Amino acid sequence: MIQPTRYSLDVIRARVHYLVRESVISYQQPIYTLCQYIPISEWVDVERELEEHNFLLKDRIADLINYEEWENE
């Protein structure tokens, strides 16, 4: 049986960094934009993880990234 991917906040942030770096999404878009790039079967796990860390789907992608991480790019 294939184990579904566990989306920790670090995994989500890594995915966001990749998508922004590849110019697929921008920092200004809402977090729910990510649902286009994550399999629908795994989106519930992503949503749950974001909610556990007090992120709303209407928050901006930039809100997922710490200021210190921006400085390193």
Side-chain angles (χ1 to χ4, degrees):
M1 182 175 186
I2 297 175
Q3 203 58 278
T5 304
R6 171 70 177 129
Y7 282 94
S8 68
L9 192 56
D10 289 336
V11 169
I12 296 168
R13 284 180 169 156
R15 175 78 57 103
V16 167
H17 273 290
Y18 172 78
L19 292 171
V20 169
R21 188 173 49 251
E22 296 296 314
S23 300
V24 175
I25 61 174
S26 75
Y27 286 118
Q28 301 305 317
Q29 291 179 282
I31 291 173
Y32 67 77
T33 303
L34 295 175
C35 72
Q36 297 173 37
Y37 306 99
I38 296 174
I40 193 76
S41 60
E42 297 174 7
W43 180 248
V44 173
D45 294 330
V46 172
E47 210 172 344
R48 184 178 304 121
E49 184 70 14
L50 292 170
E51 287 175 3
E52 286 178 15
H53 292 279
N54 299 316
F55 289 105
L56 301 174
L57 296 180
K58 66 178 183 173
D59 292 343
R60 294 179 311 137
I61 294 291
D63 296 332
L64 283 173
I65 310 301
N66 292 332
Y67 178 77
E68 296 79 29
E69 292 177 42
W70 284 28
E71 290 294 310
N72 291 331
E73 289 193 358

